[in-house]
Amino acid sequence: MRFRVGNVHDKRVIYVKCGVGLINAAATKQQMLDVFNIRGIIHFGIAGNINNSMSIRDVTIPKEFANTGTWDWLNPNGTVDSTDIAGLEVKNYNVPKRGDNLLGHIGYNFEQFYSSSGKPNTPQPLVWSKVNQHWLHVASKLEGMELQLCVNSSLCPQNKPKLVVGLRGLTSNIFVDNAAYSEFLFQTFKVSSSDMESSAVVMASFLATYNSCMRSLL
């Protein structure tokens, strides 16, 4: 891992690539907090598009993220725990639609967040990790800005890309590129993007730094 230190408009900036996945993102963030005096973090990358009102190459800056990668994967005769935040019946996606499916059910768990301001050794149930509200307000002033239309002469989509602030995003160690699962996530969690790092960055920032996450949709 290499940290590059420089200046942007007379402000000291550290740039680092965290790699793919929740563990890489959390570990990189923690190293930055241990080594540097960090005031805030802007995390950026790509995400899968979950919202049909958004298009490829749109940019989203969500207000909050949920980790949907913590599952109870149950047998067909299993019962989803009443404390789970959502459930997925795999048999609902059978083709043709009849009978059970041996993949059973999936129950989505909430995060367990340990806070220095909370009760010692007692996790707080957490579904949505919220980004810093001040930085989100600052980001909202970017809405309406003109984004580059063409990547190059051969890649120039018809739809003009837009920047949207204040939607919801999901994170898991899965890159979602499946229409049926995307629709399930949209209907269940009311989200617009799915990536593999953001919730880890936001959770690690709760007590130490400002934070904001920016994602370009694929």
Side-chain angles (χ1 to χ4, degrees):
M1 184 181 301
R2 177 172 294 181
F3 295 96
R4 301 181 183 275
V5 181
N7 292 282
V8 176
H9 295 293
D10 298 324
K11 299 295 183 181
R12 200 68 166 166
V13 174
I14 302 165
Y15 171 81
V16 62
K17 291 184 177 181
C18 71
V20 176
L22 290 159
I23 293 177
N24 283 332
T28 302
K29 172 65 187 301
Q30 190 58 54
Q31 287 188 46
M32 292 182 69
L33 293 176
D34 291 343
V35 176
F36 302 100
N37 181 19
I38 301 296
R39 183 184 179 191
I41 289 180
I42 298 176
H43 177 70
F44 62 92
I46 60 173
N49 185 14
I50 305 296
N51 187 341
N52 288 334
S53 69
M54 304 285 284
S55 301
I56 293 175
R57 297 186 62 241
D58 284 348
V59 175
T60 177
I61 304 178
K63 64 180 179 181
E64 56 190 0
F65 293 88
N67 180 0
T68 54
T70 306
W71 294 352
D72 291 327
W73 200 328
L74 307 170
N75 288 316
N77 60 350
T79 303
V80 174
D81 195 295
S82 60
T83 62
D84 286 346
I85 59 176
L88 171 63
E89 291 279 355
V90 178
K91 68 179 182 180
N92 291 344
Y93 297 88
N94 286 352
V95 178
K97 293 186 176 181
R98 59 185 178 84
D100 286 328
N101 189 301
L102 294 180
L103 291 178
H105 321 277
I106 293 174
Y108 293 83
N109 304 148
F110 50 75
E111 289 270 22
Q112 293 187 344
F113 179 61
Y114 289 85
S115 168
S116 60
S117 61
K119 187 176 180 180
N121 300 318
T122 303
Q124 303 171 31
L126 178 69
V127 179
W128 296 101
S129 301
K130 299 182 182 297
V131 305
N132 180 267
Q133 294 302 297
H134 173 65
W135 278 24
L136 190 68
H137 175 70
V138 172
S140 68
K141 298 178 181 180
L142 299 175
E143 286 190 302
M145 71 179 297
E146 185 172 347
L147 302 178
Q148 182 179 345
L149 178 61
C150 301
V151 177
N152 52 49
S153 58
S154 62
L155 184 55
C156 197
Q158 294 182 347
N159 295 330
K160 189 175 182 180
K162 60 183 179 293
L163 185 150
V164 181
V165 179
L167 301 177
R168 282 176 158 183
L170 294 180
T171 300
S172 68
N173 281 323
I174 305 167
F175 188 84
V176 179
D177 189 20
N178 177 277
Y181 190 53
S182 294
E183 179 65 16
F184 166 79
L185 293 175
F186 177 74
Q187 295 296 336
T188 304
F189 296 98
K190 310 303 180 187
V191 294
S192 294
S193 61
S194 175
D195 70 80
M196 301 175 69
E197 297 87 24
S198 293
S199 70
V201 174
V202 176
M203 281 189 68
S205 302
F206 274 164
L207 303 178
T209 59
Y210 296 122
N211 63 83
S212 181
C213 297
M214 181 183 303
R215 291 283 170 171
S216 177
L217 300 181
L218 295 179

